[in-house]
Amino acid sequence: KAGVTQTPRYLIKTRGQQVTLSCSPISGHRSVSWYQQTPGQGLQFLFEYFSETQRNKGNFPGRFSGRQFSNSRSEMNVSTLELGDSALYLCASSPLVGLGANNKNEKLFFGSGTQLSVL
Amino acid sequence: AQSVSQHNHHVILSEAASLELGCNYSYGGTVNLFWYVQYPGQHLQLLLKYFSGDPLVKGIKGFEAEFIKSKFSFNLRKPSVQWSDTAEYFCAVNALYGNNRLAFGKGNQVVVIP
């Protein structure tokens, strides 16, 4: 099975621009989560999508948005880029929403990320 | 809100030394606990997880972690590290019956000197 695929791998933008990142989950996985990774803050949850619906949202401003398509692929958009948005953006997929006690085998499968640099 | 604390962000040790990484979380309810590892140039991958049952969990590559509910801790251990264990290690917490929203610690950068 192919893993989680994120494109592009690297991206350079300037302040004020907008950017769209793409994530293709593992085949059969319907949940896609997005995380921002920075050296200072570590990994921070952005949002989670399941069946084209946003199920959970982290504490990020409205400039960060996302969507999920019927084939479970997801995109993340950041508008009006700021220098502080420079980070590695990670996408993770899993078969189900939730990691409840009955889902002992469930875990997140991460992609390699998109490294965004804002100049 | 859940929060996760990892101490000693940078750890340097020699091969064959023992490793213990601390993880403490703040959440009053029942949680699922994870350790993820990120090897240089690779994506994050699951090392081990605790959902319920035996609080001593065995993971891949000889790692284990112990859940101590009274201390809100989930420390990671390996008795004898190898150079290939050089990586960044992240502890993560998720509320039971919650969602795929993991709260991660800031990570421990571990360097093993051959």
Side-chain angles (χ1 to χ4, degrees):
Chain A
K1 251 185 183 177
V4 178
T5 305
Q6 290 188 248
T7 56
R9 185 70 180 90
Y10 300 95
L11 206 49
I12 299 175
K13 292 285 187 179
T14 56
R15 278 184 301 175
Q17 286 187 306
Q18 76 161 25
V19 67
T20 299
L21 313 181
S22 179
C23 171
S24 293
I26 291 172
S27 178
H29 287 192
R30 297 169 65 191
S31 171
V32 174
S33 305
W34 288 90
Y35 288 82
Q36 182 196 66
Q37 185 179 12
T38 58
Q41 298 298 318
L43 282 124
Q44 295 187 86
F45 174 81
L46 280 154
F47 26 64
E48 176 193 8
Y49 287 86
F50 181 81
S51 292
E52 303 176 66
T53 302
Q54 187 182 89
R55 295 300 180 107
N56 295 285
K57 189 176 189 307
N59 300 321
F60 279 80
R63 299 184 298 108
F64 291 82
S65 63
R67 59 178 175 168
Q68 188 180 32
F69 302 95
S70 58
N71 61 357
S72 294
R73 189 176 72 85
S74 177
E75 286 183 348
M76 192 192 99
N77 186 74
V78 188
S79 62
T80 321
L81 283 166
E82 300 177 1
L83 295 178
D85 297 332
S86 295
L88 180 67
Y89 290 87
L90 295 171
C91 168
S93 75
S94 73
L96 299 170
V97 169
L99 293 169
N102 293 326
N103 299 327
K104 293 188 190 304
N105 294 320
E106 303 312 332
K107 62 184 181 184
L108 293 180
F109 294 81
F110 283 87
S112 298
T114 294
Q115 183 68 54
L116 172 65
S117 298
V118 182
L119 307 177
Chain B
Q2 305 152 42
S3 69
V4 181
S5 298
Q6 292 179 248
H7 311 291
N8 302 322
H9 182 67
H10 291 96
V11 177
I12 302 173
L13 58 166
S14 300
E15 276 192 318
S18 65
L19 172 69
E20 179 159 1
L21 301 178
C23 174
N24 289 89
Y25 64 92
S26 63
Y27 182 69
T30 306
V31 293
N32 297 321
L33 298 156
F34 306 82
W35 276 95
Y36 279 84
V37 61
Q38 190 170 33
Y39 297 104
Q42 296 187 28
H43 58 269
L44 269 168
Q45 53 188 289
L46 184 69
L47 200 54
L48 48 78
K49 63 184 186 286
Y50 172 80
F51 281 8
S52 63
D54 188 345
L56 185 61
V57 180
K58 305 282 187 185
I60 60 172
K61 304 187 179 185
F63 284 91
E64 65 178 32
E66 185 176 12
F67 170 52
I68 303 179
K69 189 175 181 179
S70 61
K71 294 186 178 180
F72 297 89
S73 69
F74 189 55
N75 293 352
L76 181 72
R77 295 192 292 256
K78 184 169 182 177
S80 176
V81 295
Q82 300 172 310
W83 174 77
S84 57
D85 293 322
T86 294
E88 190 152 20
Y89 294 81
F90 294 91
C91 181
V93 172
N94 166 264
L96 185 64
Y97 297 120
N99 46 62
N100 279 335
R101 177 178 185 159
L102 294 185
F104 282 86
K106 293 190 178 180
N108 295 107
Q109 182 64 59
V110 174
V111 175
V112 180
I113 301 170

